[in-house]
Amino acid sequence: MSYHPAPEYDVVGVGFGPSNLALAIALDDCARQQSLKCRSLFVERQQDFKWHGGMLLPGSSMQISFLKDLVSLRDPTSPFTFVNYLHKSGRLLDFTNCKTFYPSRIEFNDYLRWVAGQFSAMVAYGETVEAVEPVHAGQSVTALRVLTRMADGKERSRVTRHLVAAVGGVPHIPSVFRAVAMDPRVVHTSGYLGSTLAAGSDGRSPRVAVIGGGQSAAEVTLDLSERIPGAQIDLVFRGHALKPADSSPFVNEIFNPDYTDYFHSRSDGQRETIVRSFRNTNYAVVDPDLLDQLYRMTYQQRVAGARKLALHPRSEIVAAHASPEGVVLEFNNKDEEVRRRAAYDAVVLATGYERSPIPGCLDPISRYIESASLDRDYRLQTSPAFRPHVYVQGCAETSHGLSDTLLSVLPMRAQEITKSLVSTTAREQDAASSHDRAERVYS
Ligand SMILES: Cc1cc2nc3c(=O)[nH]c(=O)nc-3n(C[C@H](O)[C@H](O)[C@H](O)COP(=O)(O)OP(=O)(O)OC[C@H]3O[C@@H](n4cnc5c(N)ncnc54)[C@H](O)[C@@H]3O)c2cc1C
Ligand SMILES: NC(=O)c1ccc[n+]([C@@H]2O[C@H](COP(=O)([O-])OP(=O)(O)OC[C@H]3O[C@@H](n4cnc5c(N)ncnc54)[C@H](OP(=O)(O)O)[C@@H]3O)[C@@H](O)[C@H]2O)c1
């Protein structure tokens, strides 16, 4: 006879970034308001809370209003708002004097950490979820076994009724860079601050290539120019020019939570068209103020006759290899068909992120998943014999719109998932207590 362990948790969250942090708040609200407690645990591979730590650059600021924090749009009276964080930190008035909706990313990370600290009892830090396996009872799958690995290599297993995966993106390394990706002189922006490059250069003037034309590329370029004033920087990108992010007010309405309803109800083709036509709100675009700053910097370098930053638009990297004198890149200028070759002391890949619609750790339950597309309430569509609910946050741009990878809809999405989870947990808890009552009567 096989052993069926009882679920220890009603829900396990994979990852504890902003998405699952917003969920922790929504579950906590629900426990207070409806006295229905979901036994929950979040598993996070980092040793403590950090929001894109490799890019917490001194000069970078948020690309979204602080009012779109973890909870305000759903409940501005919550104790977990950014405004309450400022109040508790004694900076509310001083922040007001800054006259901005866009705090620094360092401060927003501190806000997120402050919230995360209040949920630390329900987070297992330093554990990576490697696999989520089915737990069978007869023909049905009734629960999930979550297998994790700790930094010291030890494994752990936990059983849960339901699961919410919010694992974010993984660095996109274009195939042309695969051969040099492990070279210590090559770094993706996600690891920029932890790299030797960001540590400085002992007074040398390194040659650095930054690849890409998005926000990360622009921020790293500016940071490098300030951090290593002598650095010779080549910013290499495929587009014709660095382009501004469209954050104008009418366009910004596509990030409103109710736009998700509209988007989700469209056909696949219509959704694709919408994402394509609004791509310039988010991808391969740069905050307009930052563009001005970069332009002024290059102009001043020309005035001083000391050009340190060179832009290479319309340029495609066609080969990369490591050599003792540097990482050698070959790139084509698209118009002139000129092939350029240069050796660099360091290469920064600002080439963005990839998100898989179904995170890899769910592979062991893939045969129960009927579609890669999520239901409106972010639940994976699974076969009838599969009883656990599996929700995915942040990977559903094609079905739920461009806001899905961002902070814009976090509070509402967390509430929608909570509502769906809690109604099923309430039914399960009712069924369990009727079963207990029946056992008491008949024992
Ligand atoms: C540099 C940068 C700046 C950004 N700035 C903004 C902004 O200003 N405004 C905005 O709206 N969006 C911004 N974004 C977009 C970003 O996606 C969201 O802000 C936000 O981080 C999404 O939260 P998340 O929890 O879904 O994903 P993430 O923040 O990526 O969090 C996922 C978490 O899951 C953990 N994890 C992954 N796999 C596992 C596993 N197998 N086991 C355990 N843990 C795991 C990771 O360690 C991570 O902590 C930015 C993105 C970047 C890269
Ligand atoms: N301060 C902040 O709030 C902040 C800071 C950084 C990032 N972010 C956010 O993080 C997200 C990602 O931004 P990002 O700048 O990292 O990525 P991104 O916007 O996806 O830009 C990636 C860049 O890499 C280029 N690229 C991709 N594959 C390439 C290849 N094979 N060869 C050459 N170039 C290639 C793309 O060029 P093509 O267009 O030619 O494909 C694009 O210019 C966005 O949501 C952004 O707003 C926010």
Side-chain angles (χ1 to χ4, degrees), residues 15 17-19 44-46 51-52 63 129 167 355 405-407:
S19 296
E44 168 55 51
R45 70 179 169 200
Q46 297 187 94
W51 180 53
H52 301 300
Q63 295 203 291
V129 174
V167 296
R355 285 164 198 271
T405 67
L406 302 174
L407 303 173

Side-chain angles (χ1 to χ4, degrees), residues 13-21 43-46 48-52 55-56 61-64 105 108 127-130 166-169 190 215-216 219 282 353 355 361 393-395 403-408 410 413:
V14 183
F16 201 54
S19 296
N20 269 344
L21 191 47
V43 183
E44 168 55 51
R45 70 179 169 200
Q46 297 187 94
D48 55 14
F49 186 91
K50 213 172 278 161
W51 180 53
H52 301 300
M55 280 292 285
L56 285 176
S61 51
M62 294 297 294
Q63 295 203 291
I64 200 167
R105 290 197 57 246
F108 204 75
E127 287 187 49
T128 301
V129 174
E130 294 201 321
V167 296
S190 57
Q215 182 70 18
S216 297
E219 286 190 8
N282 192 36
Y353 296 80
R355 285 164 198 271
C361 61
Q393 303 204 67
C395 297
S403 55
D404 200 61
T405 67
L406 302 174
L407 303 173
S408 334
L410 291 194
R413 186 172 67 194

Side-chain angles (χ1 to χ4, degrees), residues 22 38 46 48 81 109 133 139 163 176-178 204 215 222 257 278-279 306 311 345 348 368 372 377 394 412 437:
C38 274
Q46 297 187 94
D48 55 14
T81 62
N109 175 61
E133 295 179 343
Q139 299 298 309
L163 187 112
V176 69
F177 292 103
R178 298 259 160 82
R204 285 190 310 114
Q215 182 70 18
L222 195 67
F278 289 107
R279 224 183 115 72
L311 269 61
D345 299 304
V348 184
Y368 303 101
D377 64 1
M412 313 312 284
R437 273 200 304 280

Side-chain angles (χ1 to χ4, degrees), residues 97-280:
N97 288 336
C98 292
K99 296 189 191 130
T100 184
F101 278 103
Y102 305 98
S104 69
R105 290 197 57 246
I106 289 176
E107 185 171 30
F108 204 75
N109 175 61
D110 194 57
Y111 153 68
L112 295 172
R113 275 177 81 90
W114 172 79
V115 178
Q118 297 175 63
F119 291 95
S120 54
M122 52 173 72
V123 189
Y125 284 105
E127 287 187 49
T128 301
V129 174
E130 294 201 321
V132 175
E133 295 179 343
V135 174
H136 296 271
Q139 299 298 309
S140 301
V141 175
T142 52
L144 298 168
R145 186 176 290 104
V146 180
L147 303 173
T148 68
R149 190 177 296 279
M150 289 170 245
D152 61 7
K154 287 200 187 105
E155 290 175 13
R156 240 197 113 155
S157 157
R158 299 177 178 92
V159 177
T160 178
R161 287 185 198 282
H162 308 294
L163 187 112
V164 183
V167 296
V170 293
H172 168 56
I173 311 292
S175 53
V176 69
F177 292 103
R178 298 259 160 82
V180 294
M182 301 309 284
D183 190 296
R185 296 166 293 186
V186 178
V187 63
H188 183 269
T189 49
S190 57
Y192 171 69
L193 277 184
S195 69
T196 47
L197 181 59
S201 63
D202 303 333
R204 285 190 310 114
S205 299
R207 299 152 300 166
V208 186
V210 179
I211 315 297
Q215 182 70 18
S216 297
E219 286 190 8
V220 164
T221 299
L222 195 67
D223 185 78
L224 274 172
S225 320
E226 286 164 3
R227 201 177 283 269
I228 315 175
Q232 295 286 342
I233 305 168
D234 282 346
L235 179 56
V236 185
F237 53 98
R238 299 191 287 204
H240 285 256
L242 294 179
K243 287 199 280 187
D246 186 344
S247 56
S248 56
F250 290 111
V251 165
N252 225 16
E253 289 190 350
I254 66 158
F255 297 107
N256 289 359
D258 59 4
Y259 192 80
T260 311
D261 288 324
Y262 170 80
F263 187 89
H264 192 264
S265 65
R266 301 297 97 188
S267 68
D268 288 353
Q270 287 168 325
R271 291 198 295 244
E272 245 177 65
T273 308
I274 297 171
V275 168
R276 212 177 316 116
S277 65
F278 289 107
R279 224 183 115 72
N280 67 340

